[in-house]
Amino acid sequence: MEKEKDMEQQEKVVYGRNAVLELLLKKPDSIEKIYFQFNTSHPKLKEILVSARRQKLVTGKARLERLSLMAGTTKHQGVCALVSAVSYYTIEEVLDKPRNTFPLLLILQGLEDPHNIGAIIRTAEAVAADAVLLIEGKGSPVNATVHKASAGALSHMRVCKVKSLVRCLEFLHERKFLIIAADMDAEINYTDIDLTKALAIVLGAEGSGLAPEAVKFCDHTVRIPMAGCVESLNVSVTAGVLLYEAMRQRLA
Ligand SMILES: C[S@@+](CC[C@H](N)C(=O)[O-])C[C@H]1O[C@@H](n2cnc3c(N)ncnc32)[C@H](O)[C@@H]1O
């Protein structure tokens, strides 16, 4: 209970019809969830609901009262938005000011578990990667659990939210990036690839794995060999192995 309360305090709540609508129109990327009081028929609430559904923002009403209390008011006018504290970057912004001569990017393709995302951001920061990219509308948003699991790394690591995986990969190809996708069934061993040039690593989701378009638009799929009985590694462990191999090669 204490832990849950602590997590909630790291989240920001925006309440009221005009404020939420404004946010939906101007900064929809910053919204994690919108909570409604469905028994109201105010036209602006309907407008918010339609827009929220169009933008695939999950809605619910269970926590509305609690959120409005956190916001310090009960005058929520029937709607509250939970806003992430993270400011997302564009890939162009990242590449205009790269951290590395040959940038190193991680693309998380719809990861559902915020603990994994946080752990990956932590490792990405440990190797001074340039950015972690998320796909809009796929997987978990950057929420309080991600913040916590990143152990502060989120304040240093740039996070981008891209609209389309395919367009992102095409863009990176144009910028001469080598794109590899981590796949336990791949033929190429991850140590057999030169990871020293501009590099983007695509990681698949915990349950569904890599999307076919990730495989189609990457240069290589690579495997981390496994000797035991399990079918795959945890995705954050995969990220750690690949990022440290990239760092090892770059420092050699
Ligand atoms: C838990 S796995 C996904 C397992 C999923 N059930 C499947 O069938 O693809 C999550 C992601 O971690 C990466 N991964 C896990 N084990 C790997 C390995 N041995 N080699 C390369 N990538 C791996 C892949 O990107 C995979 O999509």
Side-chain angles (χ1 to χ4, degrees):
M1 192 61 197
E2 268 309 302
K3 201 172 168 188
E4 189 185 23
K5 197 170 156 214
D6 178 43
M7 269 169 53
E8 283 183 353
Q9 278 165 357
Q10 294 172 45
E11 297 169 333
K12 204 174 141 200
V13 182
V14 172
Y15 60 89
R17 294 187 288 261
N18 286 333
V20 174
L21 188 57
E22 191 71 4
L23 207 60
L24 260 170
L25 297 175
K26 301 241 173 81
K27 288 187 90 184
D29 281 0
S30 68
I31 303 176
E32 291 181 4
K33 274 189 185 177
I34 296 184
Y35 296 89
F36 285 92
Q37 206 170 43
F38 281 112
N39 58 2
T40 168
S41 57
H42 193 285
K44 209 163 243 176
L45 272 186
K46 284 188 185 158
E47 195 182 337
I48 294 171
L49 188 57
V50 169
S51 178
R53 285 199 173 135
R54 200 181 317 120
Q55 301 191 49
K56 295 198 173 68
L57 289 161
V58 187
T59 63
K61 65 171 183 173
R63 292 169 68 205
L64 181 60
E65 297 307 328
R66 203 142 54 97
L67 287 174
S68 59
L69 283 178
M70 281 163 57
T73 178
T74 50
K75 294 182 181 156
H76 49 64
Q77 299 178 318
V79 64
C80 276
L82 195 58
V83 182
S84 67
V86 70
S87 320
Y88 292 102
Y89 290 76
T90 64
I91 314 182
E92 287 87 347
E93 282 169 343
V94 170
L95 299 185
D96 281 350
K97 288 195 182 138
R99 221 173 174 185
N100 296 287
T101 314
F102 295 107
L104 176 55
L105 304 176
L106 270 186
I107 303 176
L108 311 187
Q109 182 238 292
L111 269 57
E112 300 287 347
D113 185 342
H115 295 98
N116 281 336
I117 299 175
I120 290 172
I121 290 172
R122 185 176 183 173
T123 310
E125 177 51 30
V127 301
D130 288 82
V132 173
L133 279 59
L134 310 176
I135 317 296
E136 201 172 301
K138 304 254 193 284
S140 166
V142 176
N143 57 21
T145 309
V146 174
H147 272 270
K148 198 142 198 268
S150 84
L154 195 56
S155 309
H156 304 281
M157 177 52 50
R158 290 176 290 182
V159 177
C160 308
K161 211 186 230 183
V162 300
K163 286 198 187 308
S164 147
L165 173 66
V166 171
R167 256 183 276 137
C168 168
L169 298 182
E170 283 173 344
F171 172 82
L172 293 175
H173 272 305
E174 282 163 20
R175 297 288 190 108
K176 310 281 179 239
F177 269 73
L178 174 75
I179 302 172
I180 62 169
D183 180 357
M184 49 275 183
D185 298 321
E187 293 193 351
I188 304 175
N189 191 313
Y190 73 108
T191 52
D192 293 339
I193 299 267
D194 179 0
L195 305 176
T196 59
K197 296 292 184 304
L199 176 70
I201 302 171
V202 187
L203 297 163
E206 296 90 344
S208 50
L210 283 173
E213 57 267 32
V215 177
K216 188 172 165 200
F217 283 85
C218 70
D219 295 295
H220 306 286
T221 53
V222 298
R223 142 190 121 248
I224 301 167
M226 294 178 294
C229 301
V230 293
E231 284 179 1
S232 64
L233 296 168
N234 170 280
V235 65
S236 71
V237 172
T238 305
V241 172
L242 296 179
L243 286 172
Y244 270 88
E245 174 61 12
M247 188 161 113
R248 187 193 68 76
Q249 290 186 17
R250 286 164 183 233
L251 294 177

